[in-house]
Amino acid sequence: MKIKVIIACYLVLILCNKVSATTLEIALNADPVSLDPHEQLSEGTLQFSHFTFDPLLRWEKSGQFEARLATKWQRLDAHTMRFFLRKDVTFHSGNPFSAKDVIYTINRLKTSPDFRAMFNSIASASIVDKYTVDVHATSPNPLLLNIMAYVFPMDQAFYQGRDEIIKYGKTFASQNVSGTGPFVYISRELGSRMELKRNPNYWDTNSPGNVNKIILTPIRTDSTRLAALFSGDVDFIFPISPIDIERTKRTSGIHLVTIPSTRILLLHMNQNRRQEFKDVKVRKAINLAIDQSLIVEKILKGHATPAGQLSADRFLGHVHDLEPEYDLRKAQDLMKQAGYEKGFRISMMAPNNRYMNDEKVAQAVAAMLARINITVDLKTLPKAQYFQEFDNHAADIMMLGWQSDTMDSNNLFEFIVACPNNKTGLGAYNASEYCRPSLDDNIHQANREMDQEKRIILLQQIEQTLYEDAAVVPLYWQSLSWAAKNKVKIQDIVNDQNYPYLGDLFIDE
Amino acid sequence: MLIFLLRRLVQACFVMIIISVISFAIQDKLGDPVQQMVSMAVSSDEREQLREQLGLNDSFLNQYWRFAKGAIQGDLGTSYHYKEPALDVILKKLPATLELVFCAILLIIIVATPCGVLAAIKPKHPVSRLLMIISSIGLSVPIFIIAIFMVYLFSVEWNIAPSFGRGETTEILGLWDSGIFTKDGLSHLLLPSLSLAIALMPIFVRLIRAEMMDVLQSEYIRFAWSKGLSAKRIYFIHALKNTMLPVITVGGIQAGTLVAYTILTETIFQWPGMGFLFMDAVSRVDTPLVAAYLIVVGGMFVITNTVVDLIYGLVNPTVRLASHGL
């Protein structure tokens, strides 16, 4: 008897289930480390910023800026830019949005360890009137707008006084959110689930977005993520592993969107570790022996664009004529001329869980170098250990992927090929230890050149020099792929920086 | 008895100290936690500062001493990623893992017992032979292949069960976040617990079969037959009871294996339990959490083993003799 009662109670409990409302279930490979938009400069944090905050301006797919919390902007002089702000905006907390919030946010960015490097170039911001802000750069700055795309105004009245940024401790800002964005934070179970609901007072009434609720689940395993979409448990996923792309395309009821990104993958040849790499002929030979197109086609299943330079197509420094070159015969000749016909033995390191198929790409590179008699001792490591080794320049050839934060070529040059300098931080990821002072001059000039035409010439000159010097081996620009149910119209809201604008997402009912 | 107990406790403490040293020593090999906290653009000086603040530049002995002092007071460090005491983070995930393990054990008992008995009673029957073949295959196919295959069949092709996560949970007594009281929660439990059960089921089918066959040869069973008892009564009451004793002992040992398998199962099914937490912590180089997990799991092992030994001591006094005990 007792058992029957227990079972009956149990069944009643089970049947009392709520039916969920119209929601978007989205599965990504990572979730934001913190709710504080200034704690870590990472993809996850910036995605989250676009959900719950609004930037002053944001990138459109075309490469232009779209006005968001700033309605328009105007350059006053080489140092200063004036931003006119939207007037009808309130924060999630109910506080009205005005110029003081923008000033507060810029000042906070200048104290954030991760954003500081970028915002150091901004001297100060000042209030002109309640809805107008002037931003002053330390020097003439052609990239002011690119930097201002990282300003997601925070609610000063809500945060102030309890806004410390600590990377390894609980802070108010890491647990509470008040932004102006299309979604309001509800709850989160770190590592497994985050819930957001539509902001009923969102200022952008023209947005086609109709998502009422978002449930974000981080799923790290590629196959689990894909199965979750196929089984209908989630509506929208990122990323898709190259081997699953064909299958995803074939599956009915699901569509796939692929966009080439600007993230460059490259190899560094350390000239201080290896005498041989000091010879431009050897570096050229290595560049010629590696067949970028084959790697992209066979290993990445076309999920990338072969690269003959660092700057992607939409960057100012992109030189149209620099195509990836592959010529084995010529490479062998160059090795002979350099006196290394018999080749030599080198070490190489690459991560095995950082970039798409990174380990396989590294193996392919090793095999290709064997054809010009360079024997490669390849070691691949998980990213947590790899970047430690990278910082120590622990191997002769090292793999690196780089996404320019400012969406500009100069960021690539500064970090990857500028002469390493501990004081200025230039060349921090230059594991080639390649150094050409004239190139550094160009980089400095490009940082302050306000004339767009002249700036393009400067940047393209750098790219050309890098090619002639065969300073590094550019491999490819990785592509980004999202997949979703057909009723979820993701085509218009994804972009090459991987910040899906979910506020504008439309779902067929 | 008291001396035996004390001796076992001293031993347990000693093992725990070794576990703590090992789990602390491997931290360095996982990678750089600071690297995971900052963006690529952060300068090496700033990283160095952060490392200093976290106390990562101190000598190993210093760091261990700090850790051990806290550990004695129940503080196993603070997780870098969760920003909470590592022990709290783990205990919060414990219900999910325990429910998964509980359901898996239930499934094992429900399925393995009748199969094992059948295979013992009628060893030549085609069904028994089939069972033995299946259990051999089950023993040799890795669990993650079975799990992925089940996801493909049950959730992608047939759409019977969800492929990941824990679904809806209800809070019981404000302590236990449970998934077994909602339909959604139960459907989410199905695949992970099944694949976890499948990993251990073959061993139990084989074990029960072997033990049962042994028992069926014994005197008292023959006596029962000659007494004219019904077959049902002999098999399922008299024989099975005695079969289960060694099975339970082995089951206790296998519980450890189950914990190891939860790491795999939880990762594949995105099950928010301790195993998943551990994998996540390793890839994030959340070293305090990794160390705490190893200590908690190590502690669980030590406690079960000590309890089992103590019970043995009660049941079989010879174990208490010095020559047997240590």
Side-chain angles (χ1 to χ4, degrees), chain A residues 16 29 118 130 137 188 199 208 256 281 377 402-403:
Chain A
C16 292
N29 56 343
M118 205 189 307
K130 200 175 174 199
R188 169 177 214 198
N199 176 2
L256 179 92
K281 290 197 185 87
D377 296 318
W402 196 266
Q403 166 75 53

Side-chain angles (χ1 to χ4, degrees), chain A residues 7 58 79 169 206 217-218 233 259 290 325 374 434 447 467 475 494:
Chain A
I7 292 176
R58 71 182 183 190
H79 290 76
N206 296 325
T217 315
D233 294 337
I259 298 182
I290 292 172
E325 290 174 309
I374 297 179
Y434 163 85
N447 263 342
Y467 164 76
L475 293 175
V494 295

Side-chain angles (χ1 to χ4, degrees), chain A residues 205-275:
Chain A
T205 44
N206 296 325
S207 163
N210 68 346
V211 175
N212 283 324
K213 190 177 174 192
I214 298 177
I215 297 175
L216 190 154
T217 315
I219 303 185
R220 273 169 184 260
T221 325
D222 285 337
S223 58
T224 310
R225 201 181 319 113
L226 195 67
L229 178 69
F230 283 176
S231 64
D233 294 337
V234 299
D235 308 309
F236 180 14
I237 63 169
F238 174 87
I240 322 288
S241 139
I243 54 163
D244 296 325
I245 283 180
E246 271 311 305
R247 202 172 139 221
T248 313
K249 278 187 190 156
R250 281 203 314 268
T251 309
S252 64
I254 283 168
H255 68 300
L256 179 92
V257 176
T258 302
I259 298 182
S261 84
T262 57
R263 182 195 289 277
I264 179 77
L265 260 97
L266 62 122
L267 300 174
H268 275 302
M269 298 166 283
N270 194 315
Q271 303 183 9
N272 286 337
R273 284 176 62 96
R274 299 299 298 214
Q275 203 54 41

Side-chain angles (χ1 to χ4, degrees), chain B residues 13-294:
Chain B
C13 285
F14 191 63
V15 172
M16 282 313 293
I17 290 172
I18 292 179
I19 291 175
S20 77
V21 172
I22 293 175
S23 63
F24 199 75
I26 58 163
Q27 292 194 356
D28 272 1
K29 303 281 167 279
L30 288 176
D32 181 9
V34 171
Q35 182 82 47
Q36 305 298 309
M37 286 184 209
V38 299
S39 83
M40 301 275 279
V42 170
S43 69
S44 49
D45 282 355
E46 301 223 2
R47 281 170 208 225
E48 199 47 47
Q49 268 177 28
L50 199 56
R51 208 165 281 139
E52 191 65 45
Q53 284 168 24
L54 289 172
L56 295 173
N57 286 338
D58 300 350
S59 71
F60 176 80
L61 278 180
N62 262 339
Q63 289 192 52
Y64 181 74
W65 179 240
R66 209 164 43 218
F67 171 77
K69 264 202 304 206
I72 286 170
Q73 292 158 7
D75 172 19
L76 295 179
T78 304
S79 158
Y80 295 147
H81 182 58
Y82 288 83
K83 304 176 173 181
E84 277 172 40
L87 197 59
D88 292 0
V89 176
I90 292 172
L91 292 182
K92 238 182 250 169
K93 302 281 180 184
L94 190 65
T97 300
L98 285 185
E99 270 175 20
L100 179 63
V101 169
F102 172 76
C103 287
I105 291 176
L106 210 65
L107 277 173
I108 292 173
I109 294 172
I110 292 172
V111 178
T113 318
C115 290
V117 171
L118 180 76
I121 305 172
K122 300 218 183 317
K124 299 233 162 74
H125 195 276
V127 176
S128 313
R129 296 218 164 139
L130 189 68
L131 274 175
M132 283 300 100
I133 293 170
I134 292 175
S135 72
S136 304
I137 296 172
L139 272 178
S140 42
V141 178
I143 179 174
F144 63 89
I145 289 184
I146 295 175
I148 288 171
F149 195 66
M150 287 206 312
V151 170
Y152 178 70
L153 280 185
F154 287 91
S155 26
V156 176
E157 289 296 311
W158 300 335
N159 235 320
I160 298 172
S163 56
F164 79 92
R166 211 176 159 210
E168 204 181 320
T169 56
T170 40
E171 205 164 77
I172 310 283
L173 303 174
L175 294 169
W176 188 278
D177 220 11
S178 174
I180 56 175
F181 293 102
T182 61
K183 206 169 105 196
D184 190 47
L186 279 181
S187 67
H188 278 86
L189 251 173
L190 181 70
L191 291 186
S193 57
L194 197 60
S195 62
L196 193 56
I198 286 177
L200 286 177
M201 234 179 248
I203 300 177
F204 282 93
V205 173
R206 292 183 155 251
L207 191 68
I208 292 172
R209 173 177 173 269
E211 285 298 329
M212 186 89 173
M213 283 174 127
D214 229 30
V215 169
L216 287 180
Q217 302 300 320
S218 58
E219 295 274 319
Y220 78 98
I221 295 291
R222 255 183 272 161
F223 180 71
W225 280 118
S226 59
K227 206 176 148 198
L229 290 181
S230 73
K232 217 163 108 188
R233 210 176 151 73
I234 292 172
Y235 288 141
F236 288 99
I237 304 288
H238 296 293
L240 189 61
K241 249 187 203 166
N242 281 302
T243 304
M244 285 326 251
L245 271 174
V247 171
I248 287 167
T249 316
V250 175
I253 298 165
Q254 288 291 330
T257 326
L258 213 55
V259 172
Y261 278 133
T262 55
I263 294 182
L264 268 176
T265 322
E266 288 182 5
T267 308
I268 293 169
F269 290 99
Q270 192 76 15
W271 188 261
M274 284 166 61
F276 175 67
L277 183 77
F278 176 68
M279 286 307 281
D280 205 42
V282 169
S283 66
R284 282 185 200 280
V285 204
D286 194 343
T287 42
L289 197 54
V290 171
Y293 174 88
L294 293 176

